[in-house]
Amino acid sequence: MSLIDRVRLVSEDHALALRKLIEANRNKVAAITFNLGYLPGSDKSIQTRAESTDEALSASIQLLTTGGYLCVTAYRGHSGGKTEAETVEAFMRKSQIEGNAVDCYEPESSNSPPILWVLRKR
Ligand SMILES: C[S@@+](CC[C@H](N)C(=O)[O-])C[C@H]1O[C@@H](n2cnc3c(N)ncnc32)[C@H](O)[C@@H]1O
């Protein structure tokens, strides 16, 4: 089977799409990555938002296998981005307290750089 035969494209809100996967894939997924925000050069009103991102992250934890990785890049420079990034941070801090390994990478810049979070499920 070629790689393309193993790919399924789903065009849906990330919270809904991931929630639907839980029943058949709980604790089975090795890696999930989020690149939040809007598509540069496209309609900026179509952007990820704090509430559904929080739901999508909660679904992701349930999908990940032990040792699986969750990577999230959050942008703070656009409208709604700061709130969303704070929501991601709160989720990551809580996940860390619950026992997961969490790292945060923030480039040195005075200009609200993006933040990369990497969680490894324990
Ligand atoms: C920074 S871009 C990343 C695009 C691409 N995934 C990548 O990594 O190059 C963020 C993308 O999230 C999409 N998006 C906005 N709201 C979303 C949602 N609720 N669920 C899933 N994706 C969403 C945007 O349309 C945009 O294409």
Side-chain angles (χ1 to χ4, degrees):
M1 185 188 275
S2 71
L3 276 180
I4 196 71
D5 294 327
R6 299 167 56 188
V7 172
R8 186 159 60 100
L9 179 64
V10 177
S11 178
E12 195 170 32
D13 173 73
H14 50 189
L16 296 174
L18 290 169
R19 206 185 301 147
K20 284 180 194 167
L21 291 174
I22 292 174
E23 190 177 335
N25 299 281
R26 188 182 293 276
N27 300 326
K28 287 187 183 169
V29 178
I32 299 175
T33 185
F34 288 77
N35 188 8
L36 301 173
Y38 62 87
L39 193 62
S42 186
D43 181 353
K44 290 187 180 178
S45 72
I46 304 174
Q47 63 180 56
T48 57
R49 295 175 198 281
E51 192 176 316
S52 76
T53 294
D54 195 37
E55 287 178 30
L57 294 174
S58 297
S60 299
I61 285 284
Q62 297 179 65
L63 288 164
L64 282 184
T65 186
T66 302
Y69 285 95
L70 172 61
C71 304
V72 183
T73 304
Y75 301 86
R76 295 172 288 181
H78 62 276
S79 157
K82 187 167 177 285
T83 303
E84 184 177 45
E86 287 167 357
T87 298
V88 173
E89 176 167 0
F91 174 89
M92 290 293 174
R93 301 279 179 225
K94 181 168 165 275
S95 298
Q96 192 170 32
I97 290 166
E98 290 169 354
N100 298 297
V102 174
D103 284 312
C104 175
Y105 303 90
E106 186 174 352
E108 265 188 45
S109 165
S110 56
N111 197 21
S112 299
I115 304 178
L116 171 64
W117 292 93
V118 180
L119 176 152
R120 187 159 191 252
K121 186 173 172 180
R122 287 193 173 135

